[in-house]
Amino acid sequence: MDRRPVLVAGGGIAGLSVALTMHQIGVPCVVLESVRHLEPLGVGINLQPNAVRELYELAIGPDQLGAIGLETREFVLVGLNGKEVYAEPRGLHAGYKWPQYSVHRGGLQMLLYRTVRDRLGSGAVRTGLAVTGYIPDDDGGVRALVETPDGQRLEIEGSLLIGADGLHSAVRAQMHPGQPPIQWGGAIMWRGVTPGVPIRTGASFVGLGTHRHRVVFYPIARPDPVTGLAPINWIAEITVDNSGGWTTGDWNRRVDVASFIHHFEDWNYDWLDVPAMLRGADAVFEYPMIDRDPVPTWVDRRVALLGDAAHVMYPTGSNGASQAVIDARVLGASILQHGVTPAALQAYDERLCAEVSAVVLRNRGAGPFGLLNLLDERCGGVFDDIDAVIPAAERDAFMSRYKAAAGFAMETLNGSPPIIAGASFGRG
Ligand SMILES: Cc1cc2nc3c(=O)[nH]c(=O)nc-3n(C[C@H](O)[C@H](O)[C@H](O)COP(=O)(O)OP(=O)(O)OC[C@H]3O[C@@H](n4cnc5c(N)ncnc54)[C@H](O)[C@@H]3O)c2cc1C
């Protein structure tokens, strides 16, 4: 077997999941990460049952995930008038064999990072190395072009290169030099975490408002037993005219709450004071809802794209991080079947590229929040009896279609084997 390592550009959730998967199937692997020190950045994200199952197969079990997040019990959409439009149980409570988790993104990244270092060794993640491109080798390998923070240029040889370098992927830019710029549909998101008393089930994911003007919030940890307060992750969002464009995306751009609170100032309900929730965060981050037009392939000979580098998507479906985990597992299964070869990358591409690209485009249409679009069209978001506006069967059918497209339809998932069998914590 080729003892040159699989090189992974990027130590995010995607790249670290690849490293753990390669270790599980006995393939050497090194992660090249551009930042000097990985830090627990970001706010809340969701792990859908399909991804949780694969983490369990990697022996990252309920104890570890429970320490960085909370099992999600419910998904709820609420109209601007504060009335429920749709509610469904999630994870184990819906009958999945695996839970859904709402977690802190940075907490998950650090958990994966520690696990990679424990299992693969402390040299498996090399920080301060930005991958700037690649050169296919004549002898059946690939060289990653790398730059250090002080401008030194290196070439690192590997058997394959996996570009898991996120939204601004240098690997993707070389693979698809003519790709269009970042696509922005006009939505701006402000994100933060505020201590609060969890509502409803205590672990509910709530979307409140209209498709162009909404707040999404959910707890990402259990309440403190003394204060009863839990960290509530929130995203406040409006849609504006996008003709001016938006050229970049920086997840860490901090803004003052005063710059946007006026959009939500009168959002007071007897069960929630939205302005107080938005004002209560220590730090608020502004981020445009952006993605990239899908590309026809994620593979160029011994190089493949994975995670956001392959398919950055609007977070409306809460499945960007989940899909990154699934990508890593499908890549591992393809390597198990075809060896550390370009044929494995082709198989991975054929299995996922077209299907996930369709999810990227579908999420532009609001993903599961599309129900709020429908509500808006039919009654301007104001209703007394939701059944008279969108009958229950229609609401259920809409959500089932989304879950099937995003790969976490319950019967399909429960009835299928894991992508790669490993350690098992689930009931499946
Ligand atoms: C700092 C940060 C904060 C985020 N916060 C949120 C959030 O709050 N909510 C949310 O929904 N999503 C957030 N995301 C995005 C979310 O993590 C991803 O959509 C999802 O987890 C898929 O992850 P990924 O590993 O493909 O990409 P990313 O999470 O973007 O990870 C890419 C990794 O590659 C590294 N990298 C980038 N360029 C290079 C290069 N040229 N060479 C080597 N390494 C490189 C980056 O430093 C990063 O560690 C955040 C991403 C980042 C980087």
Short mmCIF file of all heavy atoms in Angstrom, two decimals, residues 9-15 32-35 38 41-45 105 109 129-132 164-170 191 251-252 306-309 315 320-321 324, ligand 1:
data_model
loop_
_atom_site.label_atom_id
_atom_site.label_comp_id
_atom_site.label_asym_id
_atom_site.label_seq_id
_atom_site.Cartn_x
_atom_site.Cartn_y
_atom_site.Cartn_z
N ALA A 9 -6.33 19.40 3.29
CA ALA A 9 -6.20 20.85 3.47
C ALA A 9 -7.36 21.30 4.33
O ALA A 9 -8.52 21.21 3.91
CB ALA A 9 -6.21 21.55 2.12
N GLY A 10 -7.10 21.77 5.56
CA GLY A 10 -8.17 22.31 6.41
C GLY A 10 -8.51 21.41 7.58
O GLY A 10 -8.81 20.23 7.41
N GLY A 11 -8.44 21.99 8.78
CA GLY A 11 -8.74 21.24 10.01
C GLY A 11 -10.06 21.68 10.62
O GLY A 11 -10.17 21.86 11.83
N GLY A 12 -11.08 21.86 9.78
CA GLY A 12 -12.43 22.13 10.27
C GLY A 12 -13.13 20.80 10.55
O GLY A 12 -12.49 19.74 10.63
N ILE A 13 -14.44 20.84 10.67
CA ILE A 13 -15.18 19.62 10.98
C ILE A 13 -15.01 18.61 9.85
O ILE A 13 -14.85 17.41 10.09
CB ILE A 13 -16.65 20.00 11.25
CG1 ILE A 13 -16.70 20.71 12.61
CG2 ILE A 13 -17.56 18.78 11.24
CD1 ILE A 13 -17.83 21.65 12.79
N ALA A 14 -14.95 19.10 8.61
CA ALA A 14 -14.78 18.20 7.46
C ALA A 14 -13.41 17.53 7.50
O ALA A 14 -13.30 16.30 7.46
CB ALA A 14 -14.95 18.99 6.16
N GLY A 15 -12.35 18.33 7.58
CA GLY A 15 -10.99 17.78 7.50
C GLY A 15 -10.68 16.84 8.65
O GLY A 15 -10.05 15.78 8.47
N LEU A 32 -3.31 19.64 7.04
CA LEU A 32 -2.56 20.89 6.94
C LEU A 32 -3.56 22.03 7.19
O LEU A 32 -4.50 22.20 6.41
CB LEU A 32 -1.93 21.02 5.55
CG LEU A 32 -1.16 19.78 5.07
CD1 LEU A 32 -0.76 19.93 3.60
CD2 LEU A 32 0.06 19.53 5.95
N GLU A 33 -3.38 22.75 8.26
CA GLU A 33 -4.36 23.77 8.67
C GLU A 33 -3.68 25.14 8.63
O GLU A 33 -2.58 25.31 9.15
CB GLU A 33 -4.88 23.45 10.07
CG GLU A 33 -5.60 24.57 10.80
CD GLU A 33 -6.81 25.15 10.06
OE1 GLU A 33 -7.68 24.39 9.64
OE2 GLU A 33 -6.87 26.40 9.93
N SER A 34 -4.37 26.12 8.05
CA SER A 34 -3.72 27.42 7.84
C SER A 34 -3.52 28.22 9.14
O SER A 34 -2.51 28.89 9.28
CB SER A 34 -4.52 28.26 6.83
OG SER A 34 -5.83 28.43 7.27
N VAL A 35 -4.44 28.14 10.09
CA VAL A 35 -4.25 28.97 11.29
C VAL A 35 -3.15 28.37 12.17
O VAL A 35 -2.92 27.16 12.16
CB VAL A 35 -5.55 29.16 12.12
CG1 VAL A 35 -6.65 29.79 11.27
CG2 VAL A 35 -6.05 27.85 12.72
N LEU A 38 -5.67 26.33 16.49
CA LEU A 38 -7.12 26.13 16.34
C LEU A 38 -7.80 26.62 17.62
O LEU A 38 -7.38 26.28 18.73
CB LEU A 38 -7.43 24.66 16.11
CG LEU A 38 -7.21 24.15 14.68
CD1 LEU A 38 -7.43 22.65 14.61
CD2 LEU A 38 -8.11 24.86 13.69
N LEU A 41 -14.01 28.57 17.64
CA LEU A 41 -14.76 29.71 17.08
C LEU A 41 -16.14 29.28 16.60
O LEU A 41 -16.39 28.11 16.35
CB LEU A 41 -13.97 30.31 15.92
CG LEU A 41 -12.57 30.83 16.27
CD1 LEU A 41 -11.85 31.31 15.02
CD2 LEU A 41 -12.66 31.94 17.31
N GLY A 42 -17.00 30.28 16.42
CA GLY A 42 -18.34 30.03 15.91
C GLY A 42 -19.35 29.99 17.03
O GLY A 42 -19.02 30.17 18.21
N VAL A 43 -20.60 29.78 16.65
CA VAL A 43 -21.66 29.63 17.66
C VAL A 43 -22.34 28.28 17.42
O VAL A 43 -21.65 27.28 17.21
CB VAL A 43 -22.62 30.84 17.67
CG1 VAL A 43 -21.94 32.06 18.27
CG2 VAL A 43 -23.14 31.19 16.28
N GLY A 44 -23.67 28.23 17.47
CA GLY A 44 -24.33 26.92 17.43
C GLY A 44 -24.47 26.34 16.03
O GLY A 44 -24.64 27.07 15.05
N ILE A 45 -24.38 25.02 15.95
CA ILE A 45 -24.72 24.31 14.71
C ILE A 45 -25.48 23.04 15.10
O ILE A 45 -25.50 22.67 16.27
CB ILE A 45 -23.48 23.93 13.87
CG1 ILE A 45 -22.51 23.07 14.67
CG2 ILE A 45 -22.78 25.14 13.31
CD1 ILE A 45 -21.38 22.49 13.82
N ARG A 105 -20.23 25.00 17.63
CA ARG A 105 -19.33 24.60 16.54
C ARG A 105 -17.89 24.44 17.00
O ARG A 105 -17.21 23.46 16.67
CB ARG A 105 -19.39 25.61 15.39
CG ARG A 105 -18.41 25.27 14.28
CD ARG A 105 -17.92 26.48 13.51
NE ARG A 105 -16.89 26.09 12.57
CZ ARG A 105 -15.58 26.16 12.80
NH1 ARG A 105 -15.14 26.61 13.95
NH2 ARG A 105 -14.72 25.79 11.88
N GLN A 109 -15.43 21.17 16.95
CA GLN A 109 -14.14 21.17 16.26
C GLN A 109 -13.02 20.77 17.22
O GLN A 109 -12.15 19.97 16.89
CB GLN A 109 -13.86 22.55 15.65
CG GLN A 109 -12.63 22.57 14.75
CD GLN A 109 -12.28 23.96 14.24
OE1 GLN A 109 -12.76 24.97 14.78
NE2 GLN A 109 -11.45 24.03 13.22
N LEU A 129 0.03 26.11 8.23
CA LEU A 129 0.38 25.73 6.85
C LEU A 129 -0.84 25.93 5.95
O LEU A 129 -1.80 25.15 6.01
CB LEU A 129 0.83 24.26 6.78
CG LEU A 129 2.13 23.90 7.52
CD1 LEU A 129 2.41 22.41 7.39
CD2 LEU A 129 3.32 24.71 6.98
N ALA A 130 -0.81 26.98 5.14
CA ALA A 130 -1.93 27.24 4.22
C ALA A 130 -1.65 26.56 2.89
O ALA A 130 -0.61 26.80 2.28
CB ALA A 130 -2.10 28.74 4.03
N VAL A 131 -2.58 25.74 2.46
CA VAL A 131 -2.44 25.10 1.14
C VAL A 131 -2.85 26.14 0.09
O VAL A 131 -3.94 26.72 0.18
CB VAL A 131 -3.32 23.83 1.07
CG1 VAL A 131 -3.30 23.24 -0.33
CG2 VAL A 131 -2.83 22.80 2.09
N THR A 132 -1.97 26.35 -0.88
CA THR A 132 -2.28 27.37 -1.90
C THR A 132 -2.60 26.74 -3.26
O THR A 132 -3.08 27.42 -4.15
CB THR A 132 -1.09 28.33 -2.08
OG1 THR A 132 0.08 27.56 -2.40
CG2 THR A 132 -0.82 29.12 -0.80
N ALA A 164 -10.41 20.32 2.07
CA ALA A 164 -11.48 20.58 3.05
C ALA A 164 -11.24 21.96 3.63
O ALA A 164 -11.34 22.18 4.84
CB ALA A 164 -11.48 19.51 4.13
N ASP A 165 -10.89 22.90 2.74
CA ASP A 165 -10.43 24.22 3.17
C ASP A 165 -11.53 25.28 3.09
O ASP A 165 -11.25 26.47 2.97
CB ASP A 165 -9.16 24.64 2.43
CG ASP A 165 -9.22 24.43 0.92
OD1 ASP A 165 -10.13 23.73 0.45
OD2 ASP A 165 -8.36 24.96 0.21
N GLY A 166 -12.78 24.85 3.20
CA GLY A 166 -13.88 25.77 3.48
C GLY A 166 -14.31 26.66 2.32
O GLY A 166 -13.97 26.45 1.16
N LEU A 167 -15.08 27.67 2.70
CA LEU A 167 -15.72 28.59 1.75
C LEU A 167 -14.74 29.19 0.74
O LEU A 167 -15.06 29.32 -0.44
CB LEU A 167 -16.39 29.71 2.57
CG LEU A 167 -16.88 30.94 1.85
CD1 LEU A 167 -18.08 30.59 0.98
CD2 LEU A 167 -17.25 32.03 2.84
N HIS A 168 -13.56 29.61 1.20
CA HIS A 168 -12.61 30.27 0.30
C HIS A 168 -11.56 29.29 -0.22
O HIS A 168 -10.41 29.65 -0.42
CB HIS A 168 -11.93 31.43 1.02
CG HIS A 168 -12.89 32.48 1.50
ND1 HIS A 168 -13.58 33.29 0.63
CD2 HIS A 168 -13.32 32.82 2.74
CE1 HIS A 168 -14.38 34.09 1.32
NE2 HIS A 168 -14.24 33.83 2.61
N SER A 169 -11.95 28.05 -0.41
CA SER A 169 -11.02 26.96 -0.76
C SER A 169 -10.05 27.31 -1.90
O SER A 169 -10.46 27.63 -3.02
CB SER A 169 -11.84 25.73 -1.17
OG SER A 169 -11.01 24.76 -1.74
N ALA A 170 -8.74 27.19 -1.58
CA ALA A 170 -7.71 27.39 -2.61
C ALA A 170 -7.68 26.18 -3.54
O ALA A 170 -7.38 26.31 -4.73
CB ALA A 170 -6.35 27.58 -1.93
N ARG A 191 -25.63 36.69 14.60
CA ARG A 191 -25.62 35.47 15.42
C ARG A 191 -25.03 35.76 16.79
O ARG A 191 -24.10 36.56 16.92
CB ARG A 191 -24.80 34.38 14.73
CG ARG A 191 -25.28 34.06 13.33
CD ARG A 191 -24.31 33.17 12.58
NE ARG A 191 -23.00 33.76 12.51
CZ ARG A 191 -21.89 33.19 12.97
NH1 ARG A 191 -21.93 32.00 13.50
NH2 ARG A 191 -20.74 33.82 12.88
N TRP A 251 -16.70 34.55 9.14
CA TRP A 251 -17.53 34.08 10.23
C TRP A 251 -17.26 34.84 11.53
O TRP A 251 -18.04 34.77 12.47
CB TRP A 251 -17.28 32.59 10.48
CG TRP A 251 -17.94 31.68 9.52
CD1 TRP A 251 -17.35 31.00 8.50
CD2 TRP A 251 -19.34 31.32 9.47
NE1 TRP A 251 -18.28 30.25 7.83
CE2 TRP A 251 -19.50 30.42 8.41
CE3 TRP A 251 -20.45 31.67 10.24
CZ2 TRP A 251 -20.74 29.87 8.09
CZ3 TRP A 251 -21.69 31.13 9.92
CH2 TRP A 251 -21.82 30.24 8.85
N ASN A 252 -16.14 35.53 11.63
CA ASN A 252 -15.77 36.17 12.90
C ASN A 252 -15.97 37.67 12.91
O ASN A 252 -15.43 38.36 13.77
CB ASN A 252 -14.30 35.85 13.22
CG ASN A 252 -14.10 34.36 13.34
OD1 ASN A 252 -14.93 33.68 13.94
ND2 ASN A 252 -13.05 33.86 12.74
N LEU A 306 -14.17 18.51 -0.38
CA LEU A 306 -15.02 17.88 0.64
C LEU A 306 -15.49 18.95 1.63
O LEU A 306 -14.78 19.93 1.88
CB LEU A 306 -14.18 16.80 1.33
CG LEU A 306 -14.86 15.80 2.24
CD1 LEU A 306 -14.29 14.39 2.02
CD2 LEU A 306 -14.72 16.19 3.69
N GLY A 307 -16.66 18.77 2.20
CA GLY A 307 -17.19 19.76 3.15
C GLY A 307 -17.56 21.05 2.43
O GLY A 307 -17.95 21.04 1.25
N ASP A 308 -17.45 22.17 3.13
CA ASP A 308 -17.84 23.45 2.53
C ASP A 308 -17.07 23.76 1.25
O ASP A 308 -17.57 24.46 0.37
CB ASP A 308 -17.62 24.60 3.53
CG ASP A 308 -18.78 24.73 4.51
OD1 ASP A 308 -19.65 23.83 4.54
OD2 ASP A 308 -18.81 25.73 5.26
N ALA A 309 -15.85 23.29 1.13
CA ALA A 309 -15.08 23.53 -0.09
C ALA A 309 -15.82 22.95 -1.29
O ALA A 309 -15.78 23.50 -2.39
CB ALA A 309 -13.69 22.90 0.02
N PRO A 315 -27.34 27.94 5.54
CA PRO A 315 -27.55 27.09 6.73
C PRO A 315 -29.01 26.83 7.06
O PRO A 315 -29.33 26.32 8.13
CB PRO A 315 -26.87 27.91 7.85
CG PRO A 315 -26.91 29.30 7.38
CD PRO A 315 -26.88 29.27 5.87
N GLY A 320 -25.04 21.67 7.02
CA GLY A 320 -23.70 21.87 6.44
C GLY A 320 -22.65 21.02 7.14
O GLY A 320 -21.87 20.31 6.49
N ALA A 321 -22.63 21.06 8.47
CA ALA A 321 -21.64 20.28 9.22
C ALA A 321 -21.94 18.79 9.11
O ALA A 321 -21.03 17.96 8.98
CB ALA A 321 -21.62 20.72 10.68
N ALA A 324 -20.67 17.47 5.93
CA ALA A 324 -19.21 17.34 5.95
C ALA A 324 -18.80 15.99 6.55
O ALA A 324 -17.90 15.31 6.05
CB ALA A 324 -18.59 18.49 6.76
C1 LIG B 1 -14.20 30.25 12.21
C2 LIG B 1 -15.47 29.62 11.70
C3 LIG B 1 -16.66 29.83 12.39
C4 LIG B 1 -17.84 29.24 11.91
N1 LIG B 1 -18.99 29.47 12.61
C5 LIG B 1 -20.14 28.92 12.17
C6 LIG B 1 -21.35 29.14 12.87
O1 LIG B 1 -21.38 29.81 13.89
N2 LIG B 1 -22.50 28.58 12.38
C7 LIG B 1 -22.49 27.80 11.24
O2 LIG B 1 -23.53 27.32 10.81
N3 LIG B 1 -21.34 27.55 10.57
C8 LIG B 1 -20.17 28.10 11.00
N4 LIG B 1 -19.02 27.86 10.32
C9 LIG B 1 -19.08 27.00 9.12
C10 LIG B 1 -19.23 25.53 9.49
O3 LIG B 1 -18.22 25.15 10.39
C11 LIG B 1 -19.15 24.71 8.22
O4 LIG B 1 -20.22 25.07 7.36
C12 LIG B 1 -19.24 23.20 8.41
O5 LIG B 1 -18.85 22.79 9.70
C13 LIG B 1 -18.37 22.46 7.38
O6 LIG B 1 -17.04 22.63 7.79
P1 LIG B 1 -15.75 22.59 6.89
O7 LIG B 1 -14.73 21.88 7.71
O8 LIG B 1 -16.04 22.10 5.52
O9 LIG B 1 -15.37 24.11 6.73
P2 LIG B 1 -14.84 25.15 7.81
O10 LIG B 1 -15.53 24.99 9.09
O11 LIG B 1 -14.87 26.48 7.14
O12 LIG B 1 -13.30 24.72 8.04
C14 LIG B 1 -12.29 24.93 7.07
C15 LIG B 1 -10.95 24.85 7.77
O13 LIG B 1 -9.93 25.01 6.78
C16 LIG B 1 -8.99 25.97 7.20
N5 LIG B 1 -8.45 26.56 5.97
C17 LIG B 1 -9.02 27.50 5.18
N6 LIG B 1 -8.26 27.74 4.12
C18 LIG B 1 -7.20 26.91 4.21
C19 LIG B 1 -6.07 26.67 3.38
N7 LIG B 1 -5.89 27.33 2.25
N8 LIG B 1 -5.16 25.74 3.78
C20 LIG B 1 -5.32 25.03 4.95
N9 LIG B 1 -6.39 25.25 5.76
C21 LIG B 1 -7.32 26.16 5.39
C22 LIG B 1 -9.80 26.92 8.06
O14 LIG B 1 -8.97 27.63 8.97
C23 LIG B 1 -10.73 25.96 8.79
O15 LIG B 1 -10.16 25.43 9.94
C24 LIG B 1 -17.83 28.42 10.74
C25 LIG B 1 -16.63 28.20 10.05
C26 LIG B 1 -15.44 28.77 10.53
C27 LIG B 1 -14.14 28.51 9.78
#
